[in-house]
Amino acid sequence: MRLFLALPLLLAGCAPGTEPGSNAVDINSAANQAQNSIDSYAANATDEASNLTAETPGAVPTPAATPVGAVEPLNPPAPGEPGGLPDDRTPVSEAPFTPDSAQGAANVVQTYYALLGEGKYHQAWALWDDGGKASGMGVDAFTASFAKYSEYHANIGAPGDVDAGAGQRYVTVPVQVYARLKAGAKPVYMLGSVTLHRVGDIDGASPAQKSWHIKSADIKPTPKAG
């Protein structure tokens, strides 16, 4: 803050009828006194301004930092824990797999949940058997059922063996879902399995029929992760 002071102008001169020098003003002395007055006034004004700022009611406080962890983090149970995937310690083969294998079916499940997490509901719906109809919903209802989540993730377990019979193939894949609702940012945990189906190598079967599609899903809510 700048301080502007109005000081009396000091003039040197002689009164009429007096001799020069008898009543002359000492300009240097007057200037020194004026400067001292300025310094003293500025120091006092600074102190008063500081006190005013510190003591003024209604002063705006510094905003407090936003609390860390205000939103409960997603914490899905680990394998082997209640609500977690089976603790299958068998190493997963890194060998290439064919699309019609059990691992190929698990890859479809992985793709399905990745699409859900990205909000690509129409593409996810199309991975259900019978052109999406096996989901039991039309694409709009399917979309609405997942659009209520702000986050949607899944951990995919090791697939079971392929069940073959009468020209049909089935395989079950364990799934652990952890998601967050938009309303209240509430975490949701689910556990279950997805069953996939495809037609075997029979005459007349189309490439689409020979590809894995989701036949059913048995995913149920689990208690909150500890």
Side-chain angles (χ1 to χ4, degrees):
M1 180 175 64
R2 295 183 179 179
L3 300 175
F4 297 92
L5 305 178
L7 298 177
L9 181 61
L10 301 178
L11 300 177
C14 299
T18 59
E19 293 183 5
S22 61
N23 291 325
V25 178
D26 188 341
I27 294 177
N28 291 332
S29 176
N32 289 333
Q33 292 178 9
Q35 184 62 50
N36 290 336
S37 297
I38 293 173
D39 294 340
S40 177
Y41 185 90
N44 291 336
T46 301
D47 292 340
E48 290 176 2
S50 297
N51 293 335
L52 181 62
T53 301
E55 298 173 4
T56 300
V60 179
T62 302
T66 302
V68 177
V71 177
E72 182 180 347
L74 292 176
N75 184 27
E81 295 181 356
L85 291 169
D87 188 9
D88 186 356
R89 299 177 183 274
T90 303
V92 177
S93 174
E94 296 181 0
F97 58 86
T98 59
D100 58 356
S101 66
Q103 188 58 43
N107 190 57
V108 171
V109 177
Q110 183 73 48
T111 301
Y112 173 73
Y113 282 100
L115 290 171
L116 291 177
E118 295 170 2
K120 299 177 180 179
Y121 304 123
H122 194 289
Q123 295 179 47
W125 177 78
L127 289 178
W128 281 80
D129 215 356
D130 197 15
K133 294 179 181 179
S135 66
M137 295 180 282
V139 66
D140 291 339
F142 180 87
T143 296
S145 69
F146 289 102
K148 61 185 178 181
Y149 296 99
S150 61
E151 295 182 62
Y152 205 88
H153 313 281
N155 291 321
I156 311 303
D161 295 332
V162 176
D163 182 10
Q168 308 298 311
R169 305 289 184 268
Y170 299 91
V171 64
T172 299
V173 179
V175 174
Q176 178 192 44
V177 172
Y178 55 108
R180 188 185 305 281
L181 291 168
K182 291 179 180 178
K186 179 182 177 181
V188 175
Y189 301 97
M190 292 176 275
L191 185 67
S193 62
V194 172
T195 299
L196 297 98
H197 162 259
R198 73 176 184 87
V199 174
D201 296 328
I202 59 177
D203 294 339
S206 67
Q209 291 175 319
K210 294 180 181 179
S211 300
W212 289 114
H213 288 84
I214 299 172
K215 182 68 176 178
S216 63
D218 183 17
I219 310 292
K220 297 179 179 178
T222 61
K224 174 184 174 182

